[in-house]
Amino acid sequence: MSSVTRTISALLGACALAACGGHTGANEGAAAPTPASAQGEAAAIAKARADSIRYPYTAADVHFMQGMIGHHSQAIAMASWAPSHGASASVQRLAERIINAQQDEIATMQQWLTDRRQTVPEAKAGPMKMMMNGKEQEMLMPGMLTAEQMHELDLARGPGFDRLFLADMIQHHKGAVSMVQDLFGTYGAAQDELTFKFASDVNVDQTTEIARMERMLTAFSLEHRAQ
Amino acid sequence: MASVFRARRQVVRATVVRRSALPIAVGLLLTGACAHSTPSAMAGDGASPKVSMSATAPNPDPRVGLKAGLMDAQEAVWNLHVLSRTQPSPKFMGITNSDLAFTGPYAIQGSYAGYQVWDISNPSHPALKTAYYCPASQSDVSVYKNLLFVSGEGLTGRIDCGGEGVKDTVSKERLRGLRIFDISDISNPKNVGNVQTCRGSHTHTALVDPKDPDNVYIYISGSSRVRSPNELPGCSSADPNEDPNSALFRIEVIKVPLAHPEQAAIVSSPRIFNDLTKPARHGESEVDKAESAKEVAEAKAKGGFTATIFGEEQVLPSRFVKPMLDSAVKARGGTGEPTAADSAAVRAAIPGMIAKMIGPPPANPNAGPTQCHDITVYPEIGLAGGACEGYGLLLDISDPAHPKRLDAASDSNFSYWHSATFNNDGTKVLFSDEWGGGGQTKCRATDKHEWGADALFTIDNDKLKFQSYYKMPAPQTKFENCVAHNGSLVPIPGRDVMIQSWYQGGLSVFDWTDVAHPKEIAFFDRGPVDSTRMASGGSWSVYWYNGVMVSSEISRGLDVVELTPSAFISQNEIDAAKSVKWDYLNVQGQRKIVWPPSFALSGAYLDQLERSHGLAADKIAAARAALKSAEKASGSARSTALTQLASQIDADASGSSDGAKVQKLSESVKALAAGE
């Protein structure tokens, strides 16, 4: 896993050197609209400004969004097993919230990519197809579970599922957080307001959830060791 | 430009019935709405706002199905009147508007492009005073005396206020932290200092210490990435166990000398999160607990198997238990169905089995929040509410530079604790959960009531006790970002009333006097910004300031609304609320509301006693008549009449079911008599 992480980071770093498009910030004040058609012009100015104000986005931004769609999809697949695999009420609530949150975020990422005319990956949980040295290769984004890990989780039931789910999801979330850190550490990345906000939200939400899951695991372990 | 929009938007207006807001007047209010003619220039655009005034919540909810539009969305208003809708100045058009602060007649509105200063002396016609271009996210603003503080968090903020961003990952041009402006001449703000911080400043809180008139303290909140030490020396994102100077797991306190704001600097970095180990538990109500206990009892009665997991006794699924029973049968060399002895053996083995399955405790059991999103300080009661990642904290701030944690609440229905609001007495606190960061649509019909909502607590002996959730109740579309966001108290005397922003879910006014049963009593909402896709918009924050409620609309500008009398709020209550005047306001620096004596204030308490049947109808009628006649009198005649009335009220108090309210009424009448 760690070698894959390093490879992906290197890849993202390389891509980032080539800006993918967008315009530099347009900071000049627009002319005030005339009253007669103020409504339409105001809306047009607002829209044009919203488009033009975007700082140029880079390949790193695009790859972050594309990679995170598959990453989120796997979290949803894991969480969707909670009801059928005998998860406790607490883990079921957590899983339900993960599904709700990450489905919505996938929609946000797909919209961002569509708006920039970039390839929009479908929301599927498997490895991501990426070009490496001119060859297409399948790669897992950081923190994603291997096929073996997914199989192991799928076989677990009851408290065993709870335990494994929490441990796996902590690994999974930590990968997402590292993707944000890699993005922010890349030249020219996350200058786009939406990218910065979205990546920051992923960062804090998942960091908070990691802490929550670690506390759940601790409580779980201490409780049962005491008996 | 703005006047044109005002004209076209106020095409329908509700008739306001003065001085008659109790239930008797409801019929009048229901029939009192009348449509003004639509200006011909705007006819036929289908954008007429919906106005409804009613004693009960309108049904169906008029917020459902509103027509979309950036500047011409359809509107639904209930028990509020929209005084003005003002578009951003040209340079700020299309850029995210953020938080608000107030000083004198001005509302200062943060924007990702800088900030705009609006003169709201006439709230029906806000006038742009200053548009200061200096891009930063989120440009959270606070004001104190001649100083304005602005937060910068994003990677693109520049020291020189330029708009070109900062591409280098390490750069001396970047500003993440706090900008300080001297606004002695508000038309020409001067950037007199900056304080750079390791994680930037997502939000901040100005703390005015009653014991320290020479300084103002700023608490910096924000959980963004820690900067490189090459960009800001000393910044470290290591585990605090490895590096005691880590920027994680702490907040920053900046001390600003009022005479020398350029000397502002970080004076402490309190680690208020240490040793938080409580797992996130849903704040269960008694009903929930009873329900859950019933399920377990029923399962046990049927011979089911249970185990205590995460502190809750839960029913184990048969697919988990059956293999254990089968192996118990096999272990004794038997076949067929398990016996009672097999069941007993399995029951005894379950705790050990579960302990084996879940393995050793994780390596990092003390993981707490690494930062706060926002902290609301209430210096007059010496408390602060910290909304810090997975926790709501109650802090003792009697020593401003060294806040101490008194209690912490967590809740598995909460994602990201966002901000706190105390009630005026400091006996309750409301925390909001900005689930999804504000860019997501968490108010659809399919989103649960307790998710992306407010959690309401009572404060008892410095401990937080969960009471209920509140969420703006109207389902929104999948194109409207909506979740709990910023709000403030509405100074209705004797009650806990709040107005709150829900992004594109609009403004919601609710009463949380009965903290277990918060209830919506007014709203204002627009249709989505875009009918075809999620486009960011809605109210970032809405705060009461000197009689009106000012809302910062992310994409549409500045809205000002006022309360209209209804079955829930009387004209007296509104007038008493409007009698509260401040010279400045930062909502995250909560100020104690004190109501000056007025006939409206006494009338407001009488209205509340009538509403709650806290006093017999004839006694209320007599008190009203006495109050009215005293208002007509003057000098010693008035004073004598009021003193007599106060004595009568005191005499009536013994027969009241709401002695505390009668006491407030009596005090307000005595204060009037004394001419205070």
Side-chain angles (χ1 to χ4, degrees):
Chain A
M1 185 56 65
S2 63
S3 66
V4 174
T5 309
R6 274 198 300 277
T7 312
I8 302 263
S9 301
L11 183 70
L12 292 180
C15 284
L17 295 173
C20 291
H23 309 280
T24 51
N27 304 317
E28 298 310 310
T34 58
S37 57
Q39 185 60 48
E41 287 194 24
I45 289 168
K47 188 172 186 321
R49 178 68 54 75
D51 290 342
S52 67
I53 197 64
R54 286 191 193 112
Y55 295 98
Y57 54 92
T58 64
D61 297 330
V62 172
H63 280 266
F64 173 81
M65 294 291 186
Q66 290 173 336
M68 195 61 90
I69 288 175
H71 200 273
H72 274 34
S73 301
Q74 189 182 62
I76 292 166
M78 293 161 69
S80 68
W81 288 334
S84 56
H85 289 48
S88 65
S90 298
V91 168
Q92 285 206 37
R93 184 182 298 124
L94 174 73
E96 200 183 343
R97 291 175 60 88
I98 287 172
I99 291 170
N100 185 314
Q102 302 211 4
Q103 272 177 347
D104 288 353
E105 288 181 354
I106 286 174
T108 300
M109 292 185 279
Q110 289 175 331
Q111 177 88 62
W112 188 94
L113 289 164
T114 304
D115 287 348
R116 286 155 186 78
R117 298 184 182 84
Q118 300 293 325
T119 306
V120 183
E122 59 180 306
K124 71 177 185 62
M128 189 183 164
K129 287 194 173 67
M130 297 181 92
M131 294 302 285
M132 291 271 298
N133 303 324
K135 275 198 303 189
E136 191 177 79
Q137 300 204 355
E138 293 211 322
M139 320 214 48
L140 288 174
M141 300 307 287
M144 282 181 75
L145 273 61
T146 61
E148 292 74 25
Q149 281 182 298
M150 286 295 275
H151 183 62
E152 185 191 18
L153 181 63
D154 193 11
L155 289 178
R157 292 292 182 276
F161 179 84
D162 283 356
R163 166 80 190 179
L164 199 55
F165 177 83
L166 291 172
D168 285 351
M169 196 59 88
I170 289 169
Q171 168 197 319
H172 193 271
H173 276 29
K174 281 183 172 170
V177 169
S178 80
M179 286 168 69
V180 176
Q181 299 306 324
D182 288 347
L183 176 74
F184 286 173
T186 304
Y187 175 84
Q191 299 278 301
D192 171 84
E193 179 190 315
L194 287 172
T195 308
F196 178 75
K197 176 167 171 45
F198 177 78
S200 296
D201 289 344
V202 168
N203 184 46
V204 293
D205 285 355
Q206 300 212 11
T207 302
T208 304
E209 220 155 60
I210 289 167
R212 171 167 299 161
M213 291 189 289
E214 286 182 339
R215 291 193 300 272
M216 285 170 82
L217 262 183
T218 306
F220 201 18
S221 303
L222 296 177
E223 203 169 85
H224 293 289
R225 268 152 55 103
Q227 286 176 10
Chain B
M1 177 176 70
S3 63
V4 170
F5 292 105
R6 274 193 296 276
R8 77 177 293 287
R9 308 308 294 284
Q10 294 188 352
V11 289
V12 178
R13 203 172 70 207
T15 299
V16 176
V17 183
R18 300 276 306 168
R19 292 273 171 205
S20 52
L22 290 174
I24 324 146
V26 165
L28 289 174
L29 294 175
L30 279 169
T31 54
C34 62
H36 288 210
S37 60
T38 305
S40 57
M42 299 298 173
D45 65 0
S48 306
K50 284 184 181 176
V51 171
S52 58
M53 286 188 62
S54 166
T56 53
N59 187 16
D61 195 310
R63 287 170 288 189
V64 176
L66 293 171
K67 192 178 83 71
L70 175 61
M71 297 299 178
D72 58 350
Q74 200 178 15
E75 299 175 349
V77 191
W78 181 52
N79 295 340
L80 292 174
H81 173 58
V82 184
L83 288 165
S84 58
R85 306 161 180 83
T86 310
Q87 293 188 10
S89 58
K91 214 168 180 175
F92 287 67
M93 187 78 78
I95 300 173
T96 298
N97 291 311
S98 60
D99 209 6
L100 294 164
F102 303 91
T103 182
Y106 304 114
I108 301 171
Q109 182 179 30
S111 157
Y112 283 24
Y115 55 89
Q116 297 174 96
V117 180
W118 301 95
D119 183 341
I120 55 167
S121 315
N122 180 351
S124 300
H125 298 276
L128 185 70
K129 188 79 179 167
T130 308
Y132 194 97
Y133 184 80
C134 185
S137 64
Q138 310 185 107
S139 294
D140 194 32
V141 285
S142 290
V143 66
Y144 186 61
K145 295 189 189 285
N146 63 320
L147 298 178
L148 169 67
F149 305 98
V150 186
S151 281
E153 179 183 49
L155 307 177
T156 51
R158 297 179 60 88
I159 291 173
D160 63 8
C161 290
E164 61 267 44
V166 184
K167 287 199 176 82
D168 288 326
T169 54
V170 171
S171 170
K172 294 296 173 198
E173 293 169 337
R174 182 174 279 126
L175 184 286
R176 298 180 70 203
L178 193 72
R179 296 185 204 267
I180 306 173
F181 294 89
D182 183 335
I183 52 165
S184 304
D185 175 3
I186 205 156
S187 301
N188 289 297
K190 290 192 173 50
N191 188 193
V192 292
N194 299 314
V195 181
Q196 300 261 11
T197 59
C198 287
R199 306 184 78 175
S201 170
H202 188 70
T203 68
H204 69 263
T205 305
L207 170 55
V208 179
D209 179 9
K211 302 186 293 290
D212 184 354
D214 300 329
N215 299 287
V216 62
Y217 294 84
I218 309 286
Y219 289 179
I220 297 292
S221 297
S223 43
S224 186
R225 177 174 191 257
V226 178
R227 302 163 81 161
S228 160
N230 298 326
E231 181 166 291
L232 186 61
C235 291
S236 161
S237 57
D239 186 304
N241 294 325
E242 294 162 21
D243 182 353
N245 293 318
S246 171
L248 303 178
F249 304 98
R250 72 177 196 198
I251 63 169
E252 266 107 24
V253 180
I254 293 171
K255 184 173 172 177
V256 186
L258 295 175
H260 290 284
E262 73 285 356
Q263 293 170 9
I266 295 171
V267 290
S268 68
S269 302
R271 297 201 180 275
I272 55 175
F273 312 120
N274 285 357
D275 306 320
L276 276 169
T277 54
K278 190 160 61 172
R281 287 290 310 276
H282 161 49
E284 285 170 305
S285 67
E286 294 307 314
V287 179
D288 289 340
K289 283 181 196 161
E291 186 64 28
S292 160
K294 197 172 140 220
E295 277 176 24
V296 169
E298 278 172 5
K300 277 181 166 171
K302 288 186 209 149
F305 291 78
T306 64
T308 306
I309 300 169
F310 305 133
E312 297 166 25
E313 189 171 13
Q314 298 181 5
V315 182
L316 290 172
S318 64
R319 61 179 155 267
F320 173 71
V321 178
K322 191 165 182 307
M324 292 177 75
L325 286 169
D326 290 345
S327 55
V329 173
K330 210 171 162 186
R332 62 173 165 80
T335 52
E337 292 300 307
T339 63
D342 295 327
S343 292
V346 166
R347 242 176 257 284
I350 280 174
M353 187 73 83
I354 290 175
K356 196 174 161 193
M357 289 171 79
I358 64 179
N364 184 18
N366 290 334
T370 68
Q371 246 293 7
C372 295
H373 176 273
D374 212 340
I375 300 172
T376 293
V377 296
Y378 193 171
E380 279 134 315
I381 60 169
L383 294 178
C388 309
E389 298 184 353
Y391 286 96
L393 307 184
L394 187 67
L395 304 171
D396 175 348
I397 52 161
S398 44
D399 177 359
H402 302 98
K404 285 192 275 297
R405 190 177 82 233
L406 297 170
D407 197 18
S410 56
D411 187 326
S412 56
N413 284 319
F414 258 44
S415 169
Y416 188 59
W417 296 62
H418 178 274
S419 51
T421 306
F422 290 92
N423 72 336
N424 197 48
D425 293 343
T427 55
K428 301 171 192 163
V429 63
L430 173 150
F431 285 100
S432 59
D433 173 17
E434 193 192 31
W435 188 24
Q440 304 295 335
T441 56
K442 299 303 184 191
C443 305
R444 295 158 297 193
T446 50
D447 292 311
K448 293 187 179 183
H449 171 75
E450 63 271 27
W451 290 4
D454 300 323
L456 282 55
F457 295 81
T458 46
I459 302 170
D460 189 14
N461 285 325
D462 294 338
K463 295 287 168 203
L464 297 166
K465 184 161 190 278
F466 173 81
Q467 298 291 339
S468 64
Y469 296 106
Y470 176 75
K471 188 172 187 180
M472 183 284 302
Q476 302 290 303
T477 67
K478 63 178 179 177
F479 299 133
E480 289 168 285
N481 51 315
C482 178
V483 73
H485 210 227
N486 297 349
S488 79
L489 294 182
V490 175
I492 305 292
R495 296 168 64 182
D496 300 320
V497 175
M498 182 163 165
I499 183 161
Q500 187 178 20
S501 288
W502 291 80
Y503 288 106
Q504 291 203 60
L507 313 180
S508 178
V509 182
F510 57 98
D511 185 323
W512 52 305
T513 313
D514 177 357
V515 68
H517 304 95
K519 181 182 169 63
E520 185 174 58
I521 55 176
F523 58 69
F524 170 48
D525 187 23
R526 288 183 170 97
V529 168
D530 194 315
S531 65
T532 61
R533 52 173 284 168
M534 225 305 287
S536 179
S539 179
W540 181 289
S541 40
V542 60
Y543 303 134
W544 176 281
Y545 183 65
N546 293 347
V548 294
M549 290 161 285
V550 183
S551 166
S552 176
E553 224 288 354
I554 287 173
S555 56
R556 289 150 171 152
L558 193 80
D559 296 320
V560 187
V561 303
E562 66 175 357
L563 287 167
T564 57
S566 69
F568 306 106
I569 297 187
S570 69
Q571 187 65 53
N572 281 322
E573 289 175 304
I574 294 171
D575 290 346
K578 288 187 174 183
S579 73
V580 177
K581 298 286 183 194
W582 279 319
D583 51 351
Y584 79 99
L585 181 68
N586 302 307
V587 167
Q588 286 74 35
Q590 204 168 326
R591 301 180 69 181
K592 186 117 187 158
I593 302 163
V594 178
W595 289 268
S598 68
F599 284 93
L601 178 62
S602 302
Y605 290 136
L606 270 175
D607 293 348
Q608 290 168 13
L609 284 163
E610 181 168 339
R611 200 182 283 124
S612 70
H613 306 290
L615 207 55
D618 58 330
K619 295 191 189 306
I620 287 175
R624 280 195 200 286
L627 206 57
K628 200 172 176 183
S629 104
E631 192 172 6
K632 282 183 186 151
S634 58
S636 62
R638 173 185 279 191
S639 163
T640 307
L642 288 168
T643 306
Q644 276 177 1
L645 173 57
S647 306
Q648 184 58 48
I649 291 167
D650 288 341
D652 294 342
S654 58
S656 167
S657 57
D658 189 352
K661 187 80 78 190
V662 177
Q663 174 76 22
K664 280 187 170 165
L665 170 63
S666 165
E667 283 165 12
S668 74
V669 173
K670 284 172 189 161
L672 266 181
E676 281 172 16

